[in-house]
Amino acid sequence: MKKVLLIVPLSLGLALTLAGCQNMEAAMPWVNMGNQMAKDAGYDTDSRLAQGIKQALDVGTDNATTQLSMRGAFQLGLPESAQPIANTLRQFGLGSYVDQLETAMNRGAEQAVDEAAPVFKQAIATMTVKDALGIIQGGDTAATQYFRAQTEPTLRQRYQPIIEQNLQKTGFYDQYKALLGAYDKLPLTNKPNLDLESYVLDQSMDKLFTRIGEQETLIRQNPMQQGSALIGAVFGGAQAQ
């Protein structure tokens, strides 16, 4: 009986602390009381919640990176600002060059995703309990926003050489860079951005974190299907609110 009584405040704290619920502000006094009661009884609920969050983030980021590293995951075309040039090239029978560039862009984006997995693992490993609880008590995409803030600078550094190497495989990358350098020096206003490396980087980042956001939504909506009883315990409480 004593053990049952001790588990009650733990369950109360776990369910109420679950994040993302619309009545979180009103529930916070109960959350704090439940956590404190559980801690007094010998249970470290904050650590357990943090562990559940980390498991969920492992699942979500693994799924996102696996999906986006597959051939065909990206369908990038030249940026809209470059479409007039692409159309002109196609009209003169030079569409194969456009196709080569677009293929290189997509292969580079797909290969670069592999660089994201260890970066995310490191971010999860170094996440503090306070960070994890902030994600629980945040909005529906709190985890995605946290990851973007923590990892995007590193990811851009890792992605850039991979994207550049794939563009180099087209065989006319040096000519493209020379042309871009001359274009950038032209004294024109409102020039469209023709830097393909920056474009692919931006598109890759947006798609990666969009996919992580989708995974986060799935976990919040169906926590029991994510392969971990702890994830279900942490996120499942929201559905009871």
Side-chain angles (χ1 to χ4, degrees):
M1 178 63 71
K2 182 177 181 181
K3 180 178 291 188
V4 173
L5 291 176
L6 291 177
I7 292 175
V8 170
L10 172 62
S11 301
L12 175 65
L14 186 62
L16 288 176
T17 306
L18 164 79
C21 72
Q22 294 179 349
N23 298 319
M24 178 56 65
E25 184 175 352
M28 283 309 296
W30 293 97
V31 170
N32 295 334
M33 182 180 72
N35 279 344
Q36 189 58 52
M37 290 172 64
K39 288 177 182 178
D40 291 344
Y43 293 91
D44 187 355
T45 57
D46 284 354
S47 293
R48 188 169 189 269
L49 288 168
Q51 183 183 353
I53 291 299
K54 290 186 176 186
Q55 285 187 13
L57 294 177
D58 265 328
V59 171
T61 55
D62 282 348
N63 288 343
T65 54
T66 298
Q67 292 167 8
L68 291 181
S69 63
M70 297 176 63
R71 179 67 66 95
F74 287 84
Q75 298 292 329
L76 299 178
L78 289 175
E80 185 176 349
S81 58
Q83 287 304 320
I85 299 174
N87 293 337
T88 299
L89 289 173
R90 292 189 186 281
Q91 289 173 6
F92 284 91
L94 300 173
S96 62
Y97 291 102
V98 177
D99 295 338
Q100 288 181 55
L101 274 176
E102 291 183 341
T103 297
M105 289 160 52
N106 284 286
R107 294 297 87 79
E110 293 157 8
Q111 293 173 20
V113 172
D114 287 334
E115 293 293 312
V119 175
F120 289 145
K121 296 292 185 186
Q122 179 65 20
I124 293 170
T126 58
M127 179 183 293
T128 66
V129 171
K130 181 179 179 180
D131 291 335
L133 294 180
I135 289 173
I136 295 180
Q137 297 169 0
D140 291 341
T141 59
T144 304
Q145 293 169 11
Y146 173 86
F147 264 124
R148 187 153 200 169
Q150 294 294 317
T151 64
E152 185 167 3
T154 300
L155 290 176
R156 284 181 172 273
Q157 291 177 359
R158 292 193 175 206
Y159 273 38
Q160 195 275 336
I162 297 173
I163 291 169
E164 180 177 327
Q165 288 167 12
N166 276 271
L167 289 172
Q168 287 174 343
K169 293 177 182 178
T170 61
F172 50 86
Y173 180 78
D174 290 340
Q175 294 90 328
Y176 155 74
K177 292 295 285 185
L179 179 63
L180 182 62
Y183 170 79
D184 288 340
K185 294 178 182 178
L186 293 175
L188 303 175
T189 58
N190 300 320
K191 290 189 298 184
N193 182 10
L194 300 181
D195 188 337
L196 292 184
E197 291 175 14
S198 296
Y199 171 74
V200 176
L201 268 172
D202 291 342
Q203 293 295 310
S204 299
M205 290 295 103
D206 288 344
K207 186 152 188 173
L208 175 63
F209 288 106
T210 295
R211 187 60 57 89
I212 290 175
E214 293 169 355
Q215 290 295 316
E216 181 177 1
T217 297
L218 289 176
I219 290 172
R220 290 181 184 274
Q221 290 178 346
N222 300 292
M224 296 304 294
Q225 296 180 10
Q226 302 308 313
S228 167
L230 184 53
I231 293 175
V234 172
F235 282 95
Q239 299 174 5
Q241 300 301 318

